[in-house]
Amino acid sequence: MPQNAVNLDLSATSIELTRALCDIESVSGDETAIADAVERALAGFPHLEIIRDGDTVVARTNLGRAQRVIIAGHLDTVPVNRNLPTRFETVDGVDYLWGRGTVDMKAGVAVQLKLAAELTAPIVDVTWMWYDHEEVSDDLNGLGRLARNRPDLFEGDFAILGEPTNSQVEGGCNGNVRVEVRTFGLRAHSARSWVGDNAIHKIGPVIDILAAYGPRQVEVEGLVYREGLNAVGIVGGIAGNVIPDECMVHVNYRFAPSRTSAEAVLHLEDLFAGYEITIVDRAEGARPGLDAPLALQFLTAVGGKAKPKYGWTDVARFSALGIPAVNYGPGDPLKAHADDERVALAQITDCEDGLRAWLSTSVG
């Protein structure tokens, strides 16, 4: 064992375990220490089969149950910005744990680890997944890598991702497309601008389209998803005395899961007809899947009403495999990645109670 290795105590409360996990710094690309700690902590539980893939740790029961649920969470965080080590604080009478990772999403991981250790005979078989590289590019994502390396581990009837949702169920997720829209002109000396053609001036109608666009609100299987179309960057200009011959606006489209990414791209091509469009990134959304029997039982057990997930999450990976999936975890998503990231302590215990009750009593 490495000299500075951290030992996690899975008999501790989920709040104490959250703090211990957060105090192991694990910015994307540096997850080995936390993955090692998770693997060591789980190794002594005979009801769990442990599998390691890079810095992703899987633990699963093999009880011969009729149904299997996958419950997943990521171990990495965005970069630290003077917000570690963690501390407890009270704001407006609410008790919080403050620090990087408390919301996104080590409180969810703490709840999952505690339940993985303690629920030796859940009503369904459970595959627990804690993965690396969620906060960076898709090609590095540990869940995606695991699906390529061990597709057999993704056999399941329902999935839960511990993304922060204020410990409420959020079904599916929006899809995401990013494109670059370009205009072209002709370079010239700015003192003789009339012999050139200014590409920045020609981007004006693109900005007008974006400013006038009315995003849809789309009902999908009973949940209303809000879309968004926005300029998120603009690049143009050569030098202070040169008429630019190219300008680019970076556009982000968040679309309801009733559309495929191909349909989303066609929509953008129609909106920006006559302009050059380059697709930078695209990700399918995920339909709610709340009509699945296990999903309905889960929703009943946690005592809530489902909401839509507006951002993209890894539930889309499960949805693409035909596994209905929801987001459910402690923490306010508005505090994810924030410098004052903090999770309400009550939400950690609420999430634990909800999952524990469902895994103990949901399926006969």
Side-chain angles (χ1 to χ4, degrees), residues 24-47:
I24 305 173
E25 187 173 326
S26 58
V27 176
S28 303
D30 190 23
E31 298 99 326
T32 300
I34 194 169
D36 287 347
V38 167
E39 185 178 20
R40 279 195 305 273
L42 294 167
F45 294 92
H47 67 286

Side-chain angles (χ1 to χ4, degrees), residues 312-327:
W312 188 92
T313 75
D314 278 315
V315 296
R317 298 184 189 277
F318 295 110
S319 180
L321 294 170
I323 304 170
V326 299
N327 305 276

